[in-house]
Amino acid sequence: MLTKCLQRFGGVMGQKKRFGLTVKRINDLMPPAAVGGQDFYWSADQAGLAVRVTAGKKAFIWQGRYLGKVVRITIGDWPGKSIGDAEKVARTFQAELDQGRDPRQLKKDNEAAAAAAVEQARLEIVTLADGWADYLADRRSHWGDAHYQDHVNLAKAGGEKRKRGAGETVAGPLHSLMGLPLSALSGEALERWAAQEGATRPTRARLAMRCLKAFLRWAADEPKYRAVVAGDQAITKRAKDRLGRAEAKQGCLLKEQLPAWFAAVRGIDNIVISAYLQTLLLIGSRPGELLALKWSDIDWKWHSLTIRDKDASKGGRDGTRTIPMTPYVERLLSDLPRRNQWVFSSPASTTGRISEANHALDRACAVAGVSVTPHDLRRSFVSLSEWLELPSGVIAQIGGHKPSATQERHYKVRPLDLLRLHHERFETWMLEQARLPVPMSDGHRLRAVQ
């Protein structure tokens, strides 16, 4: 009976039927008879507060007059919004109106503040792992494979079975930070991390810190993260000091060591690895760049190699550089089996190519009585060129180093033939020091060295 009376009075234009709001009364309210209509049931206890009933929905609203015009604001749906909460909001709106202010602006301000609080709470639980995944996805197209894999390995959890040898892999140096919220990456936290990592693997930790610094700069420019990341200020001087300074690498083949080294490497049973290591020394590329060489990157007609630079932005127009294929290197490559697309292929590898040659190089070095790493061969290429006083810009262009002077960057453009002139002379000199036959430029004739 009460419901029928309320519906009848509530739907009459210009009349307000007031009653005390209770849970039972609100639940008993029926939708309006008119299709698309709405009925209002006004609170007898709080001015301006009403329950608006439409087809399938009930909501609290507040209504008043501001500057002579009716202002109606939705407070919230029933039963999500309780009667007590609705009355509290209605009192707030009425107080704003009594002060001569527009309650609608208060609602907008409250909603904006609530949204900001929710977003801040979300950001405060966003971890470094979340941001790191987005960072890698965003930068993937700008990096080479090796650089990308470095970032993946730095954050790895470890615990996987080693591909070579016994035991399991260890966690990457950044893994211990991955669970931290970005907002918790403070100077103190990174100093503690640096002290721990610096005591066991400082070289790897220094790489991790450089990568982390680049990430923090990226995050500071990203709308999604800039609210909780202030750039790389968390990487303090104390954190850097705890990792120590990297010492300059000195590993390099000397001129007098070339005969023993070439003899040992040429004696490696695996022809692919033997050719790879010799080529690495003779063209001065980065180890990973040469491993990625495909048969389609070789131009046999014009005797050139197209190398994919480790950083596409530093190479040619498409992230590559083209260098001469010298006679001895051409003979090495032409003798390799063509199993697949990779020049330095491996039938036992899941990728179809060799992944590294460190162990074979170590064994060869032990035979030769020297000690160098694959990257030391690149350093040897640059260092040995000093014996012939070759132009530094030529060596840098062949090896893929950035030009070191304005003149080199903007004014000197060396064609392939000019590079070939110097490169073949350099190869001939190295082979002569190694007491090896020197192929002529046509790739067929050999001349003996006394």
Side-chain angles (χ1 to χ4, degrees):
M1 187 66 180
L2 173 63
T3 301
K4 292 181 179 179
C5 292
L6 291 173
Q7 287 179 315
R8 184 178 63 190
F9 284 104
V12 178
M13 185 177 295
Q15 296 183 9
K16 291 185 178 180
K17 180 63 179 179
R18 299 183 181 277
F19 66 101
L21 299 181
T22 65
V23 172
K24 184 176 186 309
R25 286 173 177 173
I26 296 175
N27 285 336
D28 287 344
L29 297 176
M30 301 296 291
V35 177
Q38 56 183 359
D39 292 334
F40 295 89
Y41 301 94
W42 301 90
S43 170
D45 304 315
Q46 177 59 52
L49 179 62
V51 178
R52 179 178 60 202
V53 181
T54 58
K57 188 175 182 180
K58 300 171 185 176
F60 291 108
I61 63 101
W62 176 87
Q63 182 172 300
R65 282 187 173 274
Y66 178 71
L67 300 179
K69 295 182 179 180
V70 174
V71 174
R72 181 179 295 165
I73 304 174
T74 300
I75 295 176
D77 292 341
W78 171 267
K81 180 73 72 173
S82 69
I83 296 173
D85 289 342
E87 290 176 339
K88 181 178 179 181
V89 174
R91 286 194 296 271
T92 303
F93 288 156
Q94 189 62 49
E96 285 291 297
L97 194 64
D98 294 342
Q99 295 293 324
R101 295 189 290 265
D102 188 348
R104 291 171 296 188
Q105 187 59 47
L106 175 64
K107 183 184 180 184
K108 289 181 182 178
D109 294 343
N110 288 342
E111 289 175 346
V118 170
E119 178 64 10
Q120 185 63 30
R122 183 191 70 81
L123 288 173
E124 287 179 355
I125 62 172
V126 171
T127 63
L128 175 58
D130 298 326
W132 194 256
D134 288 345
Y135 176 55
L136 267 59
D138 181 63
R139 303 302 300 169
R140 180 68 180 92
S141 60
H142 302 277
W143 294 340
D145 292 340
H147 192 59
Y148 174 78
Q149 194 58 46
D150 272 343
H151 283 74
V152 173
N153 292 339
L154 289 173
K156 269 190 173 180
E160 301 173 357
K161 188 179 182 302
R162 291 185 182 275
K163 294 180 180 179
R164 291 186 177 88
E168 298 179 339
T169 59
V170 298
L174 288 179
H175 177 69
S176 61
L177 298 175
M178 285 293 148
L180 288 180
L182 282 176
S183 58
L185 284 179
S186 62
E188 293 79 5
L190 291 183
E191 286 167 18
R192 289 193 298 271
W193 168 83
Q196 179 180 351
E197 293 293 333
T200 56
R201 44 181 174 181
T203 301
R204 194 71 177 156
R206 283 192 291 268
L207 171 63
M209 180 169 283
R210 291 194 297 271
C211 293
L212 181 61
K213 183 176 183 177
F215 161 76
L216 291 174
R217 287 178 175 173
W218 171 87
D221 285 335
E222 284 294 303
K224 186 176 180 181
Y225 300 112
R226 66 170 58 130
V228 290
V229 174
D232 58 2
Q233 291 134 353
I235 299 179
T236 63
K237 184 177 183 301
R238 289 184 63 188
K240 295 177 183 177
D241 290 343
R242 292 183 178 184
L243 293 181
R245 292 183 176 273
E247 296 182 0
K249 301 292 185 181
Q250 300 295 327
C252 176
L253 284 174
L254 303 178
K255 178 170 67 75
E256 54 270 26
Q257 294 173 334
L258 289 176
W261 186 86
F262 267 99
V265 171
R266 283 162 58 88
I268 294 175
D269 292 337
N270 189 320
I271 186 177
V272 175
I273 292 179
S274 176
Y276 166 71
L277 292 172
Q278 292 178 78
T279 304
L280 200 57
L281 173 63
L282 292 168
I283 70 172
S285 70
R286 299 173 181 87
E289 292 174 347
L290 189 56
L291 287 174
L293 188 69
K294 301 177 181 179
W295 290 112
S296 58
D297 297 326
I298 301 177
D299 189 327
W300 300 100
K301 179 179 179 181
W302 298 110
H303 310 287
S304 65
L305 304 174
T306 298
I307 305 292
R308 287 172 175 77
D309 203 281
K310 72 165 186 176
D311 186 342
S313 66
K314 297 176 184 175
R317 291 182 181 179
D318 57 351
T320 62
R321 66 182 186 277
T322 300
I323 65 173
M325 179 168 58
T326 49
Y328 185 81
V329 168
E330 181 171 349
R331 193 177 68 177
L332 288 174
L333 301 185
S334 63
D335 289 342
L336 295 180
R338 301 198 181 192
R339 302 184 181 105
N340 50 38
Q341 64 176 326
W342 306 109
V343 174
F344 301 104
S345 61
S346 170
S349 172
T350 56
T351 62
R353 68 181 187 185
I354 60 175
S355 59
E356 49 85 14
N358 298 57
H359 297 289
L361 178 59
D362 289 343
R363 290 193 295 271
C365 286
V367 172
V370 299
S371 178
V372 287
T373 67
H375 195 81
D376 289 339
L377 299 180
R378 173 174 168 82
R379 187 176 297 106
S380 301
F381 175 81
V382 177
S383 301
L384 291 170
S385 70
E386 294 289 322
W387 283 95
L388 297 182
E389 298 183 349
L390 296 179
S392 59
V394 169
I395 297 302
Q397 190 170 333
I398 294 173
H401 281 119
K402 290 180 66 176
S404 58
T406 301
Q407 187 182 54
E408 288 287 339
R409 286 197 300 268
H410 301 293
Y411 295 98
K412 286 191 177 180
V413 180
R414 297 181 183 88
L416 187 63
D417 282 351
L418 181 57
L419 293 179
R420 189 187 313 280
L421 176 70
H422 295 290
H423 200 177
E424 288 189 1
R425 187 161 70 95
F426 188 22
E427 178 186 86
T428 297
W429 178 85
M430 275 202 278
L431 295 177
E432 288 174 344
Q433 306 311 306
R435 303 187 186 94
L436 293 175
V438 179
M440 302 301 290
S441 295
D442 61 10
H444 299 291
R445 288 179 297 163
L446 300 177
R447 63 182 176 86
V449 175
Q450 302 300 327

